[in-house]
C-alpha cells in the first residue's frame, strides 16, 4: 500500500516538474490560460456596443490590441464578430505566436494580425 502511494506521489510530482519546465522553456514563464467562453462573449458584446457608439462619431477605424494573445483564440473570435475592426494580437511565447500565425492562415481572417 505504501509503495502505491509513493508511486502516485512520484508521478504527480514529475507531472508538475515537467509542466513547470514546459512553461519556463516554451512560454517564458507565462502559462497559457484560455479565457472562458462566457467572458469572451460578454467582452465581444461590450466591444460591439462601443464600436456602434464610435461609428456615430465618424471614427474611421476601430483597432483592438490583445496583449498576451496566447494561442489567439480570443482575438480570432473578436475578428469573426467584428469583421470591420482591425485586431492586433501580441504574444512573447514563440510556440504560441507561431500557432497564432498558422491558425490565422487556416481560418483566412484578414482583419487580425499577430506580433512578437
Amino acid at each position: 500500500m505504501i509503495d502505491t502511494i509513493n508511486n502516485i506521489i512520484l508521478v504527480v510530482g514529475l507531472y508538475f516538474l515537467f509542466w513547470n519546465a514546459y512553461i519556463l522553456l516554451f512560454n517564458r514563464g507565462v502559462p497559457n490560460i484560455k479565457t472562458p467562453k462566457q467572458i469572451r462573449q460578454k467582452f465581444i458584446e461590450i466591444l460591439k456596443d462601443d464600436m456602434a457608439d464610435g461609428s456615430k462619431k465618424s471614427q474611421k477605424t476601430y483597432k483592438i490590441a490583445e496583449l498576451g494573445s496566447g494561442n489567439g483564440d480570443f482575438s480570432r473570435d473578436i475578428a469573426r464578430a467584428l469583421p470591420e475592426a482591425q485586431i492586433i494580437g501580441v504574444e512573447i511565447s514563440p510556440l504560441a505566436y507561431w500557432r497564432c500565425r498558422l491558425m490565422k492562415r487556416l481560418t483566412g481572417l484578414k482583419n487580425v494580425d499577430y506580433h512578437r
Side-chain angles (χ1 to χ4, degrees):
M1 180 72 172
I2 299 282
D3 289 338
T4 304
I5 293 171
N6 285 338
N7 287 338
I8 291 171
I9 291 171
L10 176 66
V11 168
V12 170
L14 286 174
Y15 170 78
F16 283 112
L17 177 70
F18 287 120
W19 178 252
N20 286 328
Y22 166 79
I23 296 289
L24 290 172
L25 291 173
F26 296 108
N27 289 326
R28 295 188 180 193
V30 180
N32 190 355
I33 300 170
K34 189 172 183 172
T35 306
K37 186 176 183 177
Q38 296 85 355
I39 293 174
R40 287 185 283 165
Q41 289 173 340
K42 182 64 176 174
F43 197 81
I44 288 170
E45 285 177 28
I46 292 168
L47 289 173
K48 282 182 177 181
D49 291 344
D50 188 58
M51 191 172 178
D53 289 343
S55 65
K56 294 173 187 172
K57 299 174 188 172
S58 69
Q59 187 177 7
K60 292 185 181 183
T61 58
Y62 194 80
K63 293 185 180 183
I64 301 166
E66 181 189 15
L67 304 178
S69 58
N71 292 329
D73 293 332
F74 194 14
S75 54
R76 285 190 304 277
D77 285 349
I78 295 170
R80 283 186 204 96
L82 304 169
E84 55 280 348
Q86 178 61 40
I87 317 303
I88 301 166
V90 179
E91 179 56 49
I92 63 170
S93 170
L95 191 61
Y97 169 73
W98 287 109
R99 185 173 187 275
C100 287
R101 303 270 307 186
L102 174 66
M103 292 305 294
K104 175 192 173 191
R105 186 171 282 187
L106 291 175
T107 58
L109 293 168
K110 303 288 184 201
N111 62 331
V112 65
D113 199 16
Y114 296 100
H115 300 280
R116 277 195 66 206

